[in-house]
Amino acid sequence: MAWIVKNNGTASWRGKNSCRVSFQVENDATGEVKREMKTFHVSGQTQKEKKRCIAEFRAELESGLNRDARFLTFAEYAAEWLQERENGIRLTSTGKRVAPRTIARDRDRIRNINITLGNMRVVAITKADVKKFQASLMASDESGKAPTISGKPMSGATAHGVCVTLKQILQDAVDDDIIAKNPCNGLASPQVDTKEKKPLSKERVAEFRALLDSSTPRPSLVGFRLCLLAGLRRGEACDLRWDDFDAEKGTITVSKSLCTETLKSKPTKTENVRTIPLDPATVAYLVKFRAIQAKKLLGLGKPVGEHRIVAKAQCEFMHPENLTRSLARFGKANGFEGITP
């Protein structure tokens, strides 16, 4: 089967790096006439790029590729949706590229959705199907298993997140003219049941600080101290380098964060550079640890200034999730069970 292109096509910008092309086409087998659309990644908003997108889509339609949305499964559409987010074609509501961490999160959520809805045609998914799917995420069958990747019922918070992604995908299917309306609309997502984390009291902060003061500095303890007393996020603490520490002024400058997915530096969450004053005891703590690190780094032939503070001398970095795990172990051993960065 092939499509007979009935017009010259139109193209419109969908964002800084995406262009949507539309053609009126006729099915050469059935005579059905409809509109076909596709979004392309572009290097810039130029007429040359717009013409390229139109030409590529025309060639694709005339090649015999079956793009009949009536037979598109949820798994197929979700895979295309996720790929377009990775490629920068589908952007965030603020017009920015989707963060790698968000893409990884959505990939896991889609895997859970596909267990139940993956083989269903997008056009066939009803509100009743979505409602039944939502309920199944937090329940188990007679054998004690749930339709999830882990086989265990999800918490309300996790199920809520999965349903948010499902609603977003199906809303984009509406925008892509695959379905007329979103079957998730009007349905309440599972309630978030995660307890709100409470900060440590002043008394508990003093106790935790005393534990750090009495211990020989090591990467994980330095990381704990920077999170506790300088207000750093774990990724920021793990990306901080000795060049960012000014012992004379008693400050650290935070400009980057270590991404948990790519393990590369990225802008901070607020994308702002901030210089943070440290208390004298923390300055002394860092100076003491830098002296320990310097001996090891010089022995390895590594420059001290470029090395990350929260890392062993022989390692390039500490994974942010390892800092979280270290804090959990340290907290459990010292009466601070459940503590997180």
Side-chain angles (χ1 to χ4, degrees):
M1 182 196 75
W3 296 106
I4 300 172
V5 178
K6 305 290 287 184
N7 64 351
N8 294 325
T10 60
S12 59
W13 305 119
R14 296 280 293 175
K16 184 178 179 181
N17 295 106
S18 60
C19 177
R20 174 167 288 180
V21 181
S22 173
F23 277 102
Q24 185 181 38
V25 297
E26 179 182 347
N27 187 317
D28 66 352
T30 65
E32 174 194 8
V33 176
K34 66 175 185 175
R35 185 167 62 122
E36 276 288 306
M37 296 188 300
K38 184 175 181 179
T39 304
F40 291 82
H41 179 75
V42 294
S43 58
Q45 294 185 356
T46 64
Q47 286 301 312
K48 182 179 180 180
E49 281 289 80
K50 187 174 283 189
K51 289 179 180 179
R52 175 185 67 81
C53 296
I54 291 174
E56 286 188 10
F57 193 33
R58 175 186 284 274
E60 180 179 319
L61 290 169
E62 294 177 340
S63 69
L65 179 65
N66 185 354
R67 293 181 51 82
D68 196 333
R70 292 175 300 175
F71 304 103
L72 186 68
T73 66
F74 177 85
E76 291 170 338
Y77 181 73
E80 181 180 326
W81 178 86
L82 191 65
Q83 188 63 55
E84 289 181 351
R85 281 165 73 84
E86 285 190 88
N87 293 342
I89 295 173
R90 293 188 187 272
L91 305 176
T92 66
S93 59
T94 57
K96 297 181 180 180
R97 287 186 70 111
V98 181
R101 183 173 185 176
T102 302
I103 291 172
R105 180 203 65 191
D106 285 337
R107 181 177 289 109
D108 286 341
R109 289 177 176 177
I110 289 169
R111 289 176 62 206
N112 281 288
I113 297 170
N114 283 344
I115 292 175
T116 302
L117 303 178
N119 291 328
M120 292 187 67
R121 293 178 297 124
V122 178
V123 296
I125 297 175
T126 65
K127 184 170 290 190
D129 294 323
V130 175
K131 192 173 183 179
K132 184 177 179 181
F133 165 71
Q134 289 184 172
S136 70
L137 293 175
M138 302 172 64
S140 55
D141 58 21
E142 295 178 355
S143 64
K145 293 186 176 181
T148 62
I149 295 298
S150 66
K152 301 177 182 178
M154 291 181 174
S155 66
T158 303
H160 178 85
V162 169
C163 293
V164 167
T165 296
L166 173 62
K167 186 173 183 178
Q168 185 176 7
I169 293 172
L170 292 178
Q171 184 56 50
D172 281 348
V174 173
D175 296 340
D176 290 341
D177 290 336
I178 293 174
I179 53 178
K181 59 182 180 179
N182 190 338
C184 295
N185 289 344
L187 293 178
S189 294
Q191 293 296 308
V192 175
D193 55 5
T194 303
K195 292 182 180 180
E196 183 179 355
K197 292 182 174 63
K198 296 182 179 180
L200 295 177
S201 65
K202 291 182 179 180
E203 293 74 20
R204 294 292 276 167
V205 168
E207 291 176 26
F208 197 91
R209 181 171 182 165
L211 285 171
L212 297 177
D213 288 341
S214 63
S215 304
T216 301
R218 61 179 188 268
S220 58
L221 299 186
V222 173
F224 304 163
R225 189 167 195 127
L226 290 170
C227 291
L228 179 70
L229 300 176
L232 269 60
R233 300 177 178 89
R234 65 177 189 176
E236 294 172 341
C238 290
D239 208 26
L240 200 68
R241 301 171 192 266
W242 286 115
D243 280 342
D244 299 320
F245 171 54
D246 190 324
E248 292 185 6
K249 294 181 179 179
T251 62
I252 54 171
T253 299
V254 182
S255 61
K256 294 173 293 184
S257 179
L258 189 65
C259 178
T260 55
E261 277 71 43
T262 65
L263 297 180
K264 294 180 180 179
S265 295
K266 65 174 183 178
T268 61
K269 186 174 183 178
T270 59
E271 298 187 359
N272 294 323
V273 176
R274 62 191 196 276
T275 298
I276 302 171
L278 303 173
D279 63 278
T282 297
V283 173
Y285 195 86
L286 288 173
V287 168
K288 182 178 180 180
F289 183 58
R290 183 170 61 182
I292 296 172
Q293 282 281 67
K295 291 182 181 179
K296 296 178 180 179
L297 290 169
L298 291 174
L300 295 169
K302 295 182 177 181
V304 178
E306 297 176 7
H307 194 71
R308 289 183 172 92
I309 297 175
V310 184
K312 294 180 180 179
Q314 65 271 28
C315 299
E316 184 181 347
F317 56 80
M318 176 184 289
H319 197 298
E321 291 181 357
N322 285 341
L323 182 65
T324 298
R325 284 189 279 267
S326 294
L327 179 58
R329 290 193 296 268
F330 184 84
K332 185 176 182 180
N334 292 281
F336 288 83
E337 194 161 358
I339 191 172
T340 69

